[in-house]
Amino acid sequence: SLYFVHQLESKNFFGFKDKIPRELKSGLVYRFKCSGCNTTYYGKTIRHFHVRICENLGISPLTGKVLTTLNRTAISDHLADTPTCYATTDNFDILSRDVVDYKLLIKESLFIKRDDPPLNRTIKSIPLSLFD
């Protein structure tokens, strides 16, 4: 029938874009879950996921070697202060993506509000109120 032919023509059998590797995705909200104690942290980044993970782990995004000067983060402080805790890139998950930074702040705040993770120093990234 003509309807069936139209359906076949409108189907997209092949994707036109390559999938972006997890490490190169940007504009996202992520979760860190510690291997040693299962504590969590929620964060957001507009940069490549790999770069942010490396900052949190205190390693160079280019070489993978430990940095001599640490960019202190809640995650790096936790790993340094707790000898039984350790982490790799597998401890990080992408929860949400967006191209608008403000929307990322809202999403991050909602995750923090919902789960109250111990490593998040702030209660929320952005005020969450419907009425003043």
Side-chain angles (χ1 to χ4, degrees):
S1 85
L2 187 58
Y3 176 76
F4 180 72
V5 171
H6 175 68
Q7 290 289 61
L8 281 177
E9 290 173 354
S10 66
K11 291 260 186 197
N12 186 1
F13 290 107
F14 304 101
F16 291 108
K17 292 184 176 181
D18 291 333
K19 286 196 175 224
I20 298 172
R22 174 180 178 260
E23 297 80 23
L24 296 179
K25 290 183 179 181
S26 60
L28 51 91
V29 175
Y30 64 91
R31 177 185 62 203
F32 165 78
K33 191 167 187 179
C34 180
S35 292
C37 64
N38 283 331
T39 192
T40 57
Y41 172 86
Y42 293 103
K44 70 118 187 135
T45 185
I46 57 171
R47 294 173 293 135
H48 287 150
F49 193 35
H50 176 72
V51 171
R52 187 65 184 132
I53 289 173
C54 289
E55 285 175 353
N56 283 310
L57 296 179
I59 59 177
S60 167
L62 298 175
T63 65
K65 294 181 181 178
V66 176
L67 296 171
T68 54
T69 56
L70 282 179
N71 178 18
R72 294 187 56 153
T73 67
I75 295 170
S76 68
D77 287 348
H78 172 73
L79 296 173
D81 295 341
T82 318
T84 58
C85 293
Y86 56 94
T88 67
T89 58
D90 293 333
N91 293 87
F92 294 83
D93 296 310
I94 296 173
L95 301 176
S96 182
R97 292 187 66 201
D98 210 299
V99 295
V100 179
D101 191 44
Y102 185 75
K103 288 182 181 180
L104 290 173
L105 287 169
I106 292 171
K107 291 176 182 185
E108 179 190 28
S109 293
L110 290 170
F111 281 114
I112 292 170
K113 180 74 173 163
R114 182 189 72 184
D115 295 343
D116 191 26
L119 291 182
N120 283 88
R121 294 179 182 141
T122 57
I123 298 171
K124 55 189 172 278
S125 296
I126 198 161
L128 297 173
S129 60
L130 295 175
F131 306 100
D132 288 332

